[in-house]
Amino acid sequence: MPREPLDPLQRLEDRLVDCRACPRLVAWREQVAREKRAAYADEDYWGRPVPGWGSSDPRILVVGLAPAAHGANRTGRIFTGDRSGDWLFASLHRVGLAAIPTSTHAGDGQALRGTRLVSAVRCAPPDNKPTPPERDTCAPWLDEELALLLPGVEVVVALGAFGWAAALTALARVGADVPRPRPRFGHAVEVRLPVDGRELPLLGCYHPSPHNTVTGRLSEQMTDEVLGRAAALARMDG
């Protein structure tokens, strides 16, 4: 029997995981996958670009920074297997957007309700800091994914200033009217961007990195308030 044709989102993901456009990122992600962390010495690391994950027809799109070296670069699933992901998925569960409060590995039973997670840069960068050229080289992946998803997306949540800038850039490229000067990032900042005859809310949230969560800059309540607001705007809080 002939195989069913892949949908556009799956075709995008299939092309993405073979990307080798940024030599420094390719070298780093593969070095980490070879050398591994001692705690994961018996695991096979993903070691490739990490696709978006969650609903294929989301109402809520969450834009993060990049995969963690021993998180998504190990597990192959965004925000999975690291402390930032632990924090994010716990909050998504509390506000009714995730099936379970943890995300440890692919096939763990986790599922997202009307929500998709993507990152601005798809490969793990050294020190979690992609360079501006790496950011710009990777940007078309987010542009393409957003263009596919935009008709059904009702809210975009940007994690951190990097995610905020990437989301604004991608939204502008797919036709959103982004004002000049651009809106500044802040936690719980909410702006409405005209696109396709409607207004699309963009919400800011501090990134759930240990730097923010351990220091108390970002609390569970603060995270829940932003993601809960997104659920309400997307009419998914019932």
Side-chain angles (χ1 to χ4, degrees):
M1 295 179 61
R3 295 178 59 188
E4 293 186 6
L6 297 177
D7 63 51
L9 190 59
Q10 185 61 60
R11 291 199 299 269
L12 181 151
E13 293 176 1
D14 289 348
R15 288 187 286 111
L16 168 70
V17 299
D18 290 330
C19 182
R20 301 182 66 83
C22 299
R24 187 182 78 116
L25 297 188
V26 171
W28 174 248
R29 79 191 192 206
E30 294 181 353
Q31 176 185 337
V32 170
R34 287 192 307 271
E35 297 178 354
K36 306 181 181 180
R37 180 172 283 171
Y40 310 122
D42 295 333
E43 296 188 22
D44 292 328
Y45 273 55
W46 173 254
R48 290 181 280 173
V50 178
W53 184 80
S55 171
S56 59
D57 185 23
R59 295 188 198 176
I60 300 170
L61 187 69
V62 180
V63 182
L65 195 166
H70 300 282
N73 189 58
R74 170 173 60 90
T75 65
R77 193 168 80 189
I78 186 171
F79 277 111
T80 296
D82 63 82
R83 286 190 289 170
S84 295
D86 292 344
W87 187 278
L88 179 62
F89 275 96
S91 180
L92 288 166
H93 178 68
R94 288 192 296 268
V95 303
L97 298 176
I100 57 177
T102 58
S103 184
T104 56
H105 61 275
D108 59 5
Q110 183 59 274
L112 294 180
R113 176 172 170 252
T115 304
R116 187 172 182 85
L117 309 179
V118 298
S119 57
V121 173
R122 304 301 173 104
C123 291
D127 300 318
N128 294 318
K129 293 179 181 179
T131 65
E134 289 164 351
R135 173 202 63 199
D136 295 343
T137 299
C138 207
W141 294 112
L142 179 57
D143 295 351
E144 186 174 347
E145 189 161 358
L146 182 57
L148 291 172
L149 301 173
L150 188 60
V153 170
E154 299 184 17
V155 189
V156 177
V157 178
L159 302 178
F162 196 101
W164 179 267
L168 283 172
T169 297
L171 285 164
R173 286 175 173 165
V174 298
D177 185 5
V178 177
R180 292 286 186 179
R182 287 189 171 189
R184 295 186 62 181
F185 170 75
H187 184 79
V189 167
E190 180 176 327
V191 298
R192 303 293 180 104
L193 303 174
V195 60
D196 294 337
R198 61 190 173 107
E199 288 195 333
L200 180 67
L202 171 65
L203 310 181
C205 180
Y206 289 144
H207 194 284
S209 64
H211 175 74
N212 287 331
T213 58
V214 172
T215 61
R217 187 184 192 210
L218 179 65
S219 67
E220 291 182 351
Q221 180 180 348
M222 291 167 65
T223 313
D224 293 355
E225 286 173 352
V226 173
L227 294 177
R229 173 64 174 163
L233 288 169
R235 303 183 300 281
M236 297 185 61
D237 55 343

